Amino acid sequence: MKTALVLGAGGFIGSHLVKRLKSEGYWVRGVDLKYPEFSPTEADEFIIGNLRDPEVVQGVLIVPNQDLKMKKGLEVLIDRDKGFDEVYQLAADMGGAGFVFSGENDAYIMHNSSMINLNVCEWLIKYCLKKIF
C-alpha cells in the first residue's frame, strides 16, 4: 500500500487531496493546526501540530509500521527506506481574510510560511525523501 503525508490537511485543498488519495487506495496521514471545518477528515491518521516547530515536522515524517502499530499501539519504525511514498506540502499561515489581506501582517505571514517550508525541507533531506509537492 502506498503512503502519503498531507501537510495542511485541515484546509480546503488539503482535505480534498486526502479524500482523493484515499479513493486511490493510499494510507494517508494528515497534519494541520486544525481539523477540516466542513467535513470529518478521511485521513487514516490526523495529527494536530505546528509545522513551524522542527520537532513536530520530524515526528510527522516517520511512517508508522503497520505490524508494530497493531501489536503495540503507537510504536513506529524509523527507517529511511520506509519513508512516505509521497509528501504534499500545502501548509501555510493563512490567518483568515482580515489578517491576510490587511497588508499589516505580510512579514509575519511570510516568516511563518517560510519556517514551515524550511523545516519540512530540512527533515526531508535528513530522511532522504525526495518526492514532494
Side-chain angles (χ1 to χ4, degrees):
M1 174 184 294
K2 282 191 166 186
T3 58
L5 174 65
V6 179
L7 305 171
F12 180 80
I13 295 171
S15 64
H16 283 84
L17 177 59
V18 168
K19 288 178 189 177
R20 171 67 183 262
L21 291 168
K22 287 301 300 170
S23 74
E24 293 178 9
Y26 283 73
W27 185 94
V28 179
R29 174 184 287 163
V31 181
D32 207 317
L33 283 173
K34 62 179 180 66
Y35 289 106
E37 292 182 40
F38 301 106
S39 63
T41 184
E42 292 186 23
D44 296 286
E45 183 177 75
F46 197 97
I47 296 172
I48 298 292
N50 187 341
L51 297 170
R52 290 177 292 168
D53 181 342
E55 291 180 10
V56 171
V57 175
Q58 179 188 18
V60 301
L61 284 173
I62 299 169
V63 180
N65 178 310
Q66 303 279 330
D67 295 331
L68 286 175
K69 187 175 181 185
M70 289 189 297
K71 293 178 185 173
K72 297 183 182 177
L74 299 176
E75 287 193 42
V76 294
L77 177 66
I78 302 172
D79 183 343
R80 291 174 189 236
D81 295 330
K82 302 279 185 190
F84 284 94
D85 294 305
E86 298 173 8
V87 177
Y88 296 89
Q89 196 328 68
L90 305 173
D93 186 356
M94 295 304 291
F99 182 79
V100 173
F101 299 128
S102 71
E104 297 175 14
N105 303 301
D106 294 349
Y108 183 75
I109 293 166
M110 288 178 67
H111 173 268
N112 288 339
S113 295
S114 296
M115 289 304 300
I116 292 167
N117 287 326
L118 289 171
N119 286 333
V120 170
C121 288
E122 177 74 19
W123 283 105
L124 287 175
I125 290 167
K126 288 180 180 179
Y127 284 128
C128 302
L129 301 173
K130 294 178 174 62
K131 190 168 185 181
I132 182 170
F133 173 84

